Amino acid sequence: MESGLSFRDVLFAGYAKDGGLYVPEEFPKLTLDELKSMAHTSYPGLVFEMARKFISEQEISSVQLKDLIDNNIKKFTTPEVVEIKQLNGELNIVELFHGPTLAFKDLALSVVGGLLNFYLKENQQNITILVGTSGDTGSSALMSVRGEEHTDIVVLLPHGRCTRTQELQMTTIIDDNVHIYRVEGNSDELDEPIKKCFHDESFVANHNLISINSINWGRVMVQIAHYFYSYFRLCGEVGEVVQLLVPTGAAGNITAGCIAQKMGLPITMVATVNTNDIVARTLSCGDFSVKGEVVKSLAPAMDIQVPYNIERLLYLFTDQDRQRVRCLMEEFERENRVRVPEDGMTSLKQTVVETFVASDDDIKSAMRRVYEENKYVVCPHTAVAAAYHYYQNESVGVPRGVLATATPDKFPEAVAESEIPVRMDSLQHLETMPTKSMWMRKGEDWYGILRTKIEEITDRRKSKSKEIKKG
């Protein structure tokens, strides 16, 4: 991990030069009075407050930053941006999915896309964004930069591992700056050629290569805001503890929550996962190890065995000791396993107080119960957290919210399997739209294919630039 970098430097990076992830050198600590002063702030206002704490006025003025946030959040379908549904049995659903692609990833990526465009236009620079997705990140990333003059984006999606609707949300985006590969593999496997690209420093520099997966600090930074917003809408009075149930895959979202707590927000969290339980094992007993293959589940965005944001969590809960984290991550890279130190676990459990693993049967049962008791349908990822709420059926004694990560319309198969008599057809129009994509077949050199595509993009840009100069 390097030090002394600006926000812009980190935004336009993938992995750090040593292969690690970027985090701020320090986190501001908010007083109770400061929290109270924010209590009635709108969601866009809270994004501004969080971003302002990590982006200097010299980089972006407050006027520019506010305009950028407001202009990119205009695309959301509800004025509040985030809504909370209070259901029976003290089940509070925090709807984070009212953006352009109907997933919580839109909250961060709409703003990150705006920040990238701000800097690119200011400096007349071009970039290529490289994204691996397990389902929702791809379409959110594509929507944030589609058609942008200074940006190309390459997305790798796990064919057959996300829903048909999720895949169509990506392949029906056919702008010239969009390049989509359907990969015959799971999300961890398609991450491997991406990592290889980012670990080649000269290749990254020559092709202005960046990532807006949750390895990108900008995404985590923006996500801090929805924890503050959820807290203020759920607490009885500012200062009391609120518990948030977080569906967890690559752990970027829950990392943002841990940072919010370190900044002084009075929250605890429960990390809820599907049968791919590496996050649960890591956060409950310190067992950060890969066990077997990725299991396909009804909650495909969480079908992950190597959650890269564990590195940031290790940093947060081991006294921000960079050298110690580097040693732990190097051991994990070598052995596919490492034990989280006891002092780190003690610190972590004050924030992430419990973990919960939901099977597909648990997911279907929770989806059915939410519908039967409320005539309200949740997506299978949200159902993982709702399953914990029902499992822990005694009142927790504090306000509690379930972070709802996507609309159920993206998962009609899971709704049908849960025997919920509601047609999820609001995205049916995707079936008749033209599509554009390429293949990465099993047995092919995915890394070679990816490098060649990125080189083609750069060559095309150079040719276009020469034509403009001649003209």
Side-chain angles (χ1 to χ4, degrees):
M1 298 179 189
E2 305 145 78
S3 60
L5 299 174
S6 68
F7 173 77
R8 184 195 180 285
D9 292 334
V10 172
L11 181 70
F12 278 85
Y15 291 89
K17 289 182 179 178
D18 64 0
L21 303 184
Y22 289 111
V23 288
E25 292 180 347
E26 58 184 39
F27 298 98
K29 187 76 171 178
L30 303 176
T31 66
L32 183 58
D33 285 342
E34 286 175 308
L35 289 173
K36 286 179 178 178
S37 72
M38 295 180 184
H40 302 291
T41 305
S42 67
Y43 173 78
L46 287 170
V47 175
F48 171 79
E49 292 290 344
M50 297 305 113
R52 184 77 292 167
K53 295 185 185 310
F54 298 103
I55 307 173
S56 72
E57 183 81 26
Q58 288 71 38
E59 288 196 77
I60 306 179
S61 72
S62 289
V63 170
Q64 290 171 318
L65 186 57
K66 280 180 181 174
D67 286 347
L68 184 156
I69 291 166
D70 289 342
N71 288 337
N72 284 283
I73 289 179
K74 278 180 185 173
K75 303 167 189 172
F76 284 69
T77 58
T78 178
E80 294 83 5
V81 184
V82 174
E83 292 189 352
I84 297 179
K85 295 290 193 296
Q86 295 179 321
L87 306 183
N88 293 319
E90 300 182 35
L91 180 62
N92 298 309
I93 303 291
V94 183
E95 295 181 342
L96 302 175
F97 52 73
H98 293 291
T101 73
L102 307 178
F104 90 99
K105 309 292 177 73
D106 295 329
L107 290 169
L109 284 169
S110 60
V111 177
V112 168
L115 287 163
L116 291 171
N117 293 332
F118 171 84
Y119 286 118
L120 291 171
K121 288 174 183 175
E122 187 177 65
N123 300 303
Q124 289 300 297
Q125 181 186 354
N126 297 311
I127 57 168
T128 297
I129 298 172
L130 183 52
V131 173
T133 184
S134 56
D136 289 329
T137 293
S139 55
S140 291
L142 289 163
M143 286 297 290
S144 73
V145 298
R146 66 180 300 183
E148 291 294 340
E149 178 185 359
H150 298 285
T151 302
D152 278 83
I153 181 168
V154 182
V155 172
L156 277 61
L157 68 88
H159 177 64
R161 295 270 182 166
C162 49
T163 69
R164 176 167 174 78
T165 302
Q166 285 176 304
E167 187 166 313
L168 285 171
Q169 280 191 301
M170 291 178 262
T171 57
T172 54
I173 299 176
I174 59 175
D175 300 67
D176 289 342
N177 70 326
V178 167
H179 317 272
I180 298 169
Y181 285 96
R182 292 188 287 170
V183 181
E184 290 185 340
N186 62 48
S187 56
D188 285 339
E189 290 168 338
L190 64 80
D191 271 341
E192 287 304 313
I194 293 173
K195 284 180 186 175
K196 281 187 180 179
C197 286
F198 279 114
H199 288 164
D200 185 337
E201 287 183 39
S202 62
F203 186 75
V204 170
N206 290 339
H207 299 283
N208 293 331
L209 199 61
I210 79 163
S211 171
I212 52 176
N213 280 92
S214 61
I215 66 170
N216 190 302
W217 162 249
R219 266 188 62 180
V220 177
M221 176 193 74
V222 178
Q223 287 177 165
I224 296 168
H226 67 245
Y227 283 90
F228 277 80
Y229 187 85
S230 302
Y231 173 80
F232 291 134
R233 298 306 179 273
L234 289 169
C235 71
E237 62 176 323
V238 176
E240 76 169 328
V241 173
V242 168
Q243 185 178 87
L244 296 172
L245 313 185
V246 187
T248 306
N253 191 12
I254 202 163
T255 296
C258 290
I259 292 170
Q261 195 267 354
K262 278 207 170 285
M263 292 173 66
L265 193 67
I267 58 171
T268 61
M269 287 169 287
V270 176
T272 62
V273 305
N274 64 16
T275 48
N276 299 287
D277 66 349
I278 185 168
V279 172
R281 286 185 285 107
T282 304
L283 302 187
S284 63
C285 59
D287 175 19
F288 183 30
S289 65
V290 176
K291 291 190 175 178
E293 296 293 317
V294 174
V295 177
K296 186 176 179 180
S297 80
L298 287 175
M302 299 157 71
D303 290 348
I304 292 169
Q305 280 280 33
V306 185
Y308 25 72
N309 278 285
I310 292 294
E311 178 174 345
R312 285 192 172 111
L313 292 174
L314 288 172
Y315 178 77
L316 290 172
F317 295 106
T318 54
D319 294 326
Q320 298 176 209
D321 185 334
R322 292 188 291 176
Q323 185 57 41
R324 195 177 185 196
V325 172
R326 182 183 289 115
C327 290
L328 290 168
M329 292 308 299
E330 286 174 353
E331 182 178 341
F332 178 78
E333 290 293 329
R334 286 193 312 271
E335 308 292 340
N336 265 353
R337 65 174 56 247
V338 71
R339 295 294 306 181
V340 179
E342 283 299 320
D343 60 321
M345 289 303 300
T346 300
S347 176
L348 189 152
K349 285 184 176 181
Q350 295 173 28
T351 302
V352 182
V353 295
E354 200 167 345
T355 63
F356 179 75
V357 179
S359 66
D360 276 0
D361 285 344
D362 294 328
I363 290 170
K364 290 185 285 188
S365 176
M367 291 178 72
R368 273 195 303 274
R369 182 168 173 182
V370 172
Y371 179 75
E372 288 167 357
E373 294 183 4
N374 303 280
K375 295 299 180 279
Y376 180 93
V377 185
V378 295
C379 87
H381 307 82
T382 307
V384 171
Y388 171 82
H389 176 80
Y390 290 134
Y391 169 80
Q392 208 258 15
N393 51 25
E394 294 179 13
S395 176
V396 72
V398 299
R400 173 192 276 169
V402 168
L403 299 190
T405 55
T407 175
D409 295 75
K410 299 179 78 159
F411 307 95
E413 300 89 345
V415 173
E417 281 194 48
S418 301
E419 301 175 354
I420 295 171
V422 177
R423 282 181 59 81
M424 296 288 114
D425 56 9
S426 70
L427 295 171
Q428 195 67 30
H429 64 283
L430 295 172
E431 295 284 352
T432 60
M433 291 176 66
T435 63
K436 181 180 78 169
S437 64
M438 298 163 281
W439 280 102
M440 285 186 181
R441 301 284 189 184
K442 253 194 193 319
E444 292 181 334
D445 178 9
W446 297 351
Y447 176 53
I449 292 169
L450 194 53
R451 281 184 69 101
T452 299
K453 171 52 69 176
I454 292 165
E455 288 165 351
E456 287 174 1
I457 291 167
T458 301
D459 290 343
R460 191 197 73 227
R461 279 200 206 114
K462 288 177 179 176
S463 297
K464 187 176 179 182
S465 178
K466 286 178 183 176
E467 288 173 11
I468 292 170
K469 284 178 182 176
K470 283 180 184 177

